[in-house]
Amino acid sequence: MTLGTDFHRRLEQILSCPTAPFDEGLVHASIRETVRRTQGLRASEDADGNLLVTYGRGRPGLVFACHTDHPALRAEGDGTATVLGGMPPHPLEASMLVGARLRSFDPDGPRAQVTRILSSKRPMRVRLRAAGKLRKGQSLILDLPDLRLSGGRLQARVVDDLVAAAACLTLFDRLRRARYRGTVGALFTRAEEVGFGGALGWVRNTRLPRSTTIVNLEMSKALPHTPFGAGPILRVGDRSTIFDADVSLELETVARELAGGSPSFRYQRALMDGGGCEATIYAGAGFRAGALCLPLGNTHNHSPRGGMKMEYVDQEDAENLVCWMTAYTRQHGKLDPVRLRKRLHEALWRRSRATLKRTARRVKES
Ligand SMILES: [Zn+2]
């Protein structure tokens, strides 16, 4: 399974938009522009600037959710900057940031380099050497390439979570091409990296009923039992919450069917408890929440070999994520978790039923 050309195009579109916590405007503008130019898509924004895009008519019963920010720095106007989000992921690794090259959103704008860690407590504070005048409050991002495809890897300054945003637009493209007549939504939330701000606002504002299925899409640090290239992951929970068992069963049923029909479709199932994700917020608010994620390398741009590098995922894993989302969209509402579970248990029961009966007397009389 290679990366579809449609997905590649959406990745180029979305990953070229600089972003930071509380400064996601360029990503949202790009998505709104796609909605404006695409028949059958609608967009609405809530009071906190979260963006819901809907394909088809009426209210979506299924919404895929992702976040549009990424850890970045905010210039304080006095030669220092505050780090927003976990970059690097652990405060003990703060020194990794020394020497990191930064730029403003405007590629021709001022540049800077981190020279010293002033405080490694969150939010971290660093000293900068700047080339050009930095405005107070200006976002600074790592000076790394937008996107590079090589050796089966998809590398980017921001994989987490803009690859998921591009996957949502590709889902819409594919549904449109297939003349799909149902309804599905994609929710783009803000400020996830600083504590789920956007998602927390959205659950307070939204009028979507709690019966809505929300499948959160994330990138999550690859672990020894969830390697690259073994497929996107059915994330059954994060470090604080187990997600809806029915939604996980539906997602896995669809994945099993896809794997049965095509040897290039692979998936994994795991509790990714290395971090939290927004599905916890949706579950906590009473939605039917599930989650899919991709194994991520150089999480939050921290290379285990030192320094700040591009994040990466496996290209096939990414393509399979979109396949999975598309297939689940088509099946959503048609799958009955009670019947699915019953079918599974019936098959198991048939395996041991006869022997159980045959040996029952002996066990009871012993
Ligand atoms: Zn993140």
Side-chain angles (χ1 to χ4, degrees), residues 71-278:
L73 291 88
R74 184 184 61 211
E76 297 301 345
D78 59 356
T80 72
T82 303
V83 181
L84 300 178
M87 184 169 78
H90 200 279
L92 287 176
E93 297 155 340
S95 61
M96 295 287 173
L97 209 51
V98 174
R101 291 176 188 282
L102 308 171
R103 72 165 174 91
S104 50
F105 280 11
D106 174 2
D108 300 323
R111 295 182 127 66
Q113 193 169 12
V114 177
T115 54
R116 204 149 62 87
I117 308 297
L118 298 174
S119 165
S120 57
K121 277 212 241 58
R122 297 277 158 79
M124 260 170 63
R125 195 78 182 253
V126 300
R127 182 158 294 288
L128 301 175
R129 187 191 312 124
K133 174 117 183 70
L134 295 176
R135 264 183 300 108
K136 183 172 161 54
Q138 186 164 20
S139 296
L140 295 168
I141 55 173
L142 292 169
D143 193 7
L144 293 169
D146 294 341
L147 171 66
R148 188 180 290 160
L149 300 178
S150 76
R153 279 185 179 177
L154 186 172
Q155 300 171 281
R157 180 180 55 242
V158 178
V159 168
D160 161 30
D161 197 18
L162 293 187
V163 169
C168 288
L169 296 186
T170 311
L171 165 74
F172 294 145
D173 293 335
R174 294 188 185 179
L175 292 173
R176 232 165 73 84
R177 274 205 307 276
R179 298 180 193 281
Y180 176 68
R181 299 180 73 84
T183 304
V184 62
L187 173 64
F188 303 92
T189 60
R190 302 181 51 216
E192 185 267 357
E193 299 289 0
V194 285
F196 306 127
L200 286 164
W202 186 80
V203 296
R204 281 169 175 74
N205 294 328
T206 184
R207 297 222 192 98
L208 287 183
R210 272 14 191 194
S211 57
T212 307
T213 304
I214 301 184
V215 176
N216 192 63
L217 307 171
E218 259 289 4
M219 309 296 134
S220 190
K221 187 179 177 171
L223 299 170
H225 64 288
T226 55
F228 296 103
I233 303 160
L234 168 59
R235 184 180 199 168
V236 297
D238 64 7
R239 72 169 154 224
S240 69
T241 309
I242 292 294
F243 306 141
D244 190 286
D246 285 354
V247 175
S248 292
L249 178 63
E250 291 170 12
L251 286 164
E252 187 157 22
T253 303
V254 169
R256 221 180 293 125
E257 280 169 17
L258 284 172
S262 155
S264 61
F265 182 85
R266 281 183 294 272
Y267 76 99
Q268 320 183 52
R269 175 190 172 108
L271 171 69
M272 303 300 278
D273 56 357
C277 82
E278 289 168 304

Side-chain angles (χ1 to χ4, degrees), residues 331-350:
Q331 298 248 33
H332 184 257
K334 295 181 196 146
L335 297 162
D336 177 352
V338 176
R339 267 186 39 206
L340 288 173
R341 208 165 276 124
K342 213 168 150 188
R343 208 166 62 192
L344 213 70
H345 295 177
E346 276 297 319
L348 277 174
W349 174 235
R350 271 199 299 276

Side-chain angles (χ1 to χ4, degrees), residues 67 69-71 85-86 160-161 192-193 218-219 276 296 299-300 311:
H67 65 89
D69 64 322
H70 187 77
D160 161 30
D161 197 18
E192 185 267 357
E193 299 289 0
E218 259 289 4
M219 309 296 134
L296 177 66
T299 301
H300 288 183
E311 294 183 314

